[in-house]
Amino acid sequence: MLNRTGETLTDAGNDSWWTVHRGDSPIVATAIHDGHGLRGDLRALMALADDERLREEDPYTAHIIRDLANRVIVHRSRFEVDLNRARESAVYVDPSQAWGLNVWRERLPRDLHEGSLVLHDEYYRMLRSMLLSIERRHGSLVVLDVHSYNHRRDGAGSVPTDPAAAPEINIGTHSMDRSRWADVLETLLDGFRRFEFRGTRFDVRENVAFQGRGEQTRFIHEHFPQTGCAIAIEFKKFFMDEWTGEPDFVVLDALRALIASTVPDLVKALKARR
């Protein structure tokens, strides 16, 4: 299966950890669950088929953020190491950590487990360095932490999750000092809610399906408490078939335009705070 740029989503032979694009903007976007790659010494121990892994990854989130000057795209699968979990739980060792899935054929040897955690350590070292550079340049920053989520968990032909509990766009703010960043958050929410697609507007709600409890937003708010606003954005997988992996690029391009459209107003909101 290919994405819009011609990259093979199921290619497990890629040694790349992530790609960083750096530009002159205080707005950053990340797609840390977009990756599908596995390093070679883990592949023989993996109990899950490629399509089973893909179903719980966030394919095409890299496409959604591709117009931002600052963006980070992770190429390794969350089943190798989940960068949005705390270090001690970043490698799935029990089905309870992974939607009830048995990830490994046998207990993961300690050296392989530790080898995966190297990526976790290096990622957060890289992210902190990148954000420090943006902080020095611009004084403050916004990180859009982009993910996606399933809504047909009982099978391809199943009834989808009740829309009351599954907005098209879920904004997570659990670790955010909301009183400090309310103006920036409202700027984003307003931009999302005003955007029109196919004659209608997206269902955008805060802390419904997810609350933004991931490690990345927590890390940013801990290390940049006065200058960094991290917002978790979960797109329901209405832009693809979550069982076959088939994308709808008309919807994906609309979401791409949506994310890009928020950047000018977010920059203005940060400047207004100075």
Side-chain angles (χ1 to χ4, degrees):
M1 184 185 304
L2 301 180
N3 66 16
R4 180 62 68 87
T5 60
E7 297 167 329
T8 307
L9 291 173
T10 55
D11 181 11
N14 190 343
D15 289 332
S16 297
W17 288 354
W18 45 74
T19 299
V20 177
H21 298 263
R22 181 73 167 85
D24 191 13
S25 170
I27 313 303
V28 182
T30 65
I32 63 175
H33 285 160
D34 183 83
H36 190 67
L38 283 176
R39 70 179 192 271
D41 59 2
L42 292 178
R43 193 150 184 85
L45 293 176
M46 175 60 60
L48 301 175
D50 282 346
D51 62 340
E52 291 177 296
R53 289 195 294 114
L54 187 66
R55 192 172 303 127
E56 300 300 345
E57 294 161 350
D58 296 349
Y60 309 108
T61 49
H63 181 87
I64 292 171
I65 68 171
R66 66 182 299 180
D67 292 319
L68 272 68
N70 293 314
R71 62 193 189 278
V72 181
I73 300 158
V74 174
H75 304 303
R76 291 299 182 86
S77 173
R78 68 188 305 174
F79 287 95
E80 178 172 335
V81 60
D82 191 334
L83 298 175
N84 212 29
R85 303 274 179 97
R87 189 183 193 276
E88 60 270 17
S89 57
V91 177
Y92 306 149
V93 296
D94 186 89
S96 65
Q97 297 174 290
W99 309 276
L101 299 172
N102 289 303
V103 177
W104 308 107
R105 298 182 187 279
E106 58 190 60
R107 185 178 178 84
L108 199 62
R110 182 177 178 81
D111 61 327
L112 299 187
H113 188 133
E114 291 298 322
S116 295
L117 291 179
V118 168
L119 272 71
H120 196 278
D121 296 339
E122 292 296 330
Y123 178 79
Y124 280 100
R125 190 173 292 119
M126 175 280 296
L127 182 66
R128 187 166 185 267
S129 177
M130 178 184 181
L131 298 184
L132 281 170
S133 175
I134 295 171
E135 180 189 51
R136 286 192 296 269
R137 171 71 175 158
H138 296 281
S140 58
L141 54 99
V142 175
V143 178
L144 305 179
D145 180 20
V146 176
H147 298 269
S148 63
Y149 73 98
N150 294 323
H151 64 118
R152 291 183 181 273
R153 285 204 166 272
D154 293 332
S158 65
V159 176
T161 303
D162 185 348
E168 291 171 313
I169 306 175
N170 184 99
I171 305 298
T173 59
H174 173 76
S175 65
M176 178 191 297
D177 181 348
R178 212 181 183 293
S179 62
R180 178 173 182 80
W181 295 106
D183 55 333
V184 173
L185 179 62
E186 290 303 325
T187 296
L188 181 76
L189 289 171
D190 183 60
F192 277 3
R193 287 168 176 158
R194 285 189 287 105
F195 190 90
E196 293 192 10
F197 175 60
R198 290 174 172 166
T200 188
R201 297 182 180 184
F202 293 120
D203 173 18
V204 184
R205 283 176 280 159
E206 184 180 347
N207 298 331
V208 177
F210 299 90
Q211 291 75 45
R213 296 176 182 269
E215 176 66 7
Q216 180 165 264
T217 53
R218 187 210 63 78
F219 176 91
I220 293 167
H221 291 140
E222 176 186 340
H223 289 275
F224 299 87
Q226 303 301 314
T227 59
C229 176
I231 305 171
I233 303 170
E234 293 270 359
F235 290 103
K236 184 163 65 176
K237 288 183 180 176
F238 64 99
F239 58 81
M240 65 180 288
D241 185 317
E242 66 192 55
W243 285 89
T244 67
E246 188 67 26
D248 182 338
F249 276 109
V250 173
V251 180
L252 280 166
D253 284 342
L255 298 180
R256 175 183 171 185
L258 169 66
I259 288 288
S261 73
T262 67
V263 172
D265 287 340
L266 289 172
V267 171
K268 289 179 183 177
L270 288 180
K271 288 181 177 179
R273 296 167 60 85
R274 294 177 184 172

